[in-house]
Amino acid sequence: MEAATVSVVDRLKSFAKSTQDFASGVLRGRETSNRRNPIEILKRLQRESFSDIMKLRDRQEKVERVLAFYKSSKGSPFQEGSTHVRGEFDAVGALLMIGTIDECKRNAIERAIRTGIYSRLTFETTPREKDTLVAEFVGSERGQMNILGSPLSLAKVLYAANISDWFSAVAIPVGGRCRDVAVPTNSREERGMTDYSSFGPPLLNQLNGSGIALMVKKSNTVASLAQFVSALPHSGRLLYCFGTFGQIVCQLSSNTKLSILGIHKVDNLSSQQLRLPAMSLPIGILQRSGHSDAFLEENNLVDGSFAMTLESELDESTRIGGWVEMKRSNPRYFQWAVTMSDTPEDDFGWGLSLGGLLQGPRNWDHFQVETFLNFNLGKKCKLQPGLLYVMDGATQFPALMFRTSWSL
């Protein structure tokens, strides 16, 4: 009896399992047929596409809200990440109409002409809306014996903060010059064939090390005040050079500007034999150690320069200007230049410059006349052929000049 009962139960279990397997097979077959059905495939793709479109729409709305917020605050969310790279290549050559070269003639050539290649790479970014951070790398400079120059090296780091419409500040940890903190008198930078017609008073182009400057503007007057410091090796010790630069620019008329500028320099030789790392300055060096002003002047530790410039724009491309510079150490020292140019940005131009150096009422140490033509090949290339005549003491010679400038 018990054996018959077990046999019936086993048959029932076998029948239930067979029924379950049959039902599962039927369902899987239907599912497989549905997946292979083109209509079901299209429906599934439509559902997935709709889901992806809704996700993209949500992201787009978030981006639009962020952009609208920064637009209302007059800023840009990507402003801090924008860095402008600018490259400059400048080459100057000269064909000297002169025979044999002696030391006097070589010195006259160096005072009048600086030939060679100048290459510079500048990185500029805006950490804040009105601030500018500049890093400048120089590969070669004119006046060197090696035309190939050298690898790129850091030449300048500058941070300019425009605090308001009438007040700004500049900090230069490396490579500061007076030109970096001076008030520009030209609406656009122009260069001739030589330094007399290109850079204005020589004091603007002197390398003064690290510095900080303040600039104030009110009405038609702009004033700039800067302090520089540098350390140079001298006889196994360090010579600390301090320079105070000041400038006042007055707008005489709508097209004419008068600039008065100068720099006062004090050199202090450290009494310590040990040298400190770069950009390290002991506070004790700021003291004069009991030396009087007369002692400093007798030892030629106090010097400076004073200059004045006058610039006038006759029209959009025609300019006339001049500058004079005098030195404190030599009251008879008088360097000057007068330049007139007509250099439109998209047409043929020309320029004429006269300059010289006097060390006494009857002593013309240097005088030169320069004229050049200007050809702009687009906005990034410039060609300048020119003629130069130099009188330096007993040395006189003409020279054919050629200059080309490229910017990237």
Side-chain angles (χ1 to χ4, degrees), residues 237 266-269 287-303 328:
R237 293 185 291 177
V266 177
D267 298 340
N268 197 334
L269 186 61
Q287 302 175 0
R288 295 192 176 186
S289 303
H291 295 306
S292 62
D293 293 343
F295 176 83
L296 292 173
E297 292 181 3
E298 290 176 359
N299 288 273
N300 199 26
L301 295 178
V302 176
D303 197 2
R328 176 178 178 177

Side-chain angles (χ1 to χ4, degrees), residues 109-281:
I109 294 171
E110 291 180 351
R111 282 190 289 267
I113 307 171
R114 287 198 307 129
T115 57
I117 296 175
Y118 176 74
S119 58
R120 178 175 63 179
L121 189 64
T122 304
F123 296 84
E124 182 176 332
T125 185
T126 53
R128 296 174 56 189
E129 183 178 358
K130 296 183 179 180
D131 295 356
T132 303
L133 176 62
V134 177
E136 183 178 297
F137 296 83
V138 174
S140 59
E141 294 187 9
R142 292 192 304 272
Q144 298 179 352
M145 296 297 179
N146 185 10
I147 191 174
L148 297 179
S150 59
L152 285 174
S153 60
L154 181 64
K156 182 186 303 180
V157 176
L158 182 147
Y159 187 89
N162 295 315
I163 301 173
S164 65
D165 294 337
W166 60 272
F167 182 70
S168 60
V170 178
I172 312 175
V174 179
R177 301 177 187 267
C178 293
R179 183 176 302 277
D180 300 323
V181 298
V183 181
T185 55
N186 284 333
S187 57
R188 59 191 179 100
E189 184 180 0
E190 293 183 354
R191 293 183 179 180
M193 308 299 296
T194 65
D195 291 351
Y196 277 85
S197 59
S198 298
F199 297 108
L203 70 88
L204 288 176
N205 208 41
Q206 295 176 2
L207 185 62
N208 296 310
S210 304
I212 187 171
L214 302 176
M215 188 178 299
V216 179
K217 180 179 180 181
K218 185 176 182 181
S219 185
N220 294 330
T221 304
V222 184
S224 176
L225 181 64
Q227 180 65 48
F228 293 95
V229 61
S230 62
L232 303 174
H234 180 78
S235 301
R237 293 185 291 177
L238 286 179
L239 179 64
Y240 291 94
C241 305
F242 300 90
T244 303
F245 172 80
Q247 181 187 21
I248 298 178
V249 177
C250 300
Q251 186 88 29
L252 302 181
S253 64
S254 59
N255 299 323
T256 305
K257 292 182 180 180
L258 174 66
S259 175
I260 300 174
L261 61 155
I263 185 170
H264 175 73
K265 292 185 175 182
V266 177
D267 298 340
N268 197 334
L269 186 61
S270 174
S271 59
Q272 300 177 359
Q273 297 292 337
L274 299 177
R275 295 181 58 181
L276 296 176
M279 299 182 67
S280 298
L281 179 67

Side-chain angles (χ1 to χ4, degrees), residues 96-101 105 109 395-398:
L96 307 174
M97 306 297 180
I98 193 171
T100 58
I101 303 294
K105 293 180 181 179
I109 294 171
T395 303
Q396 302 181 20
F397 63 90

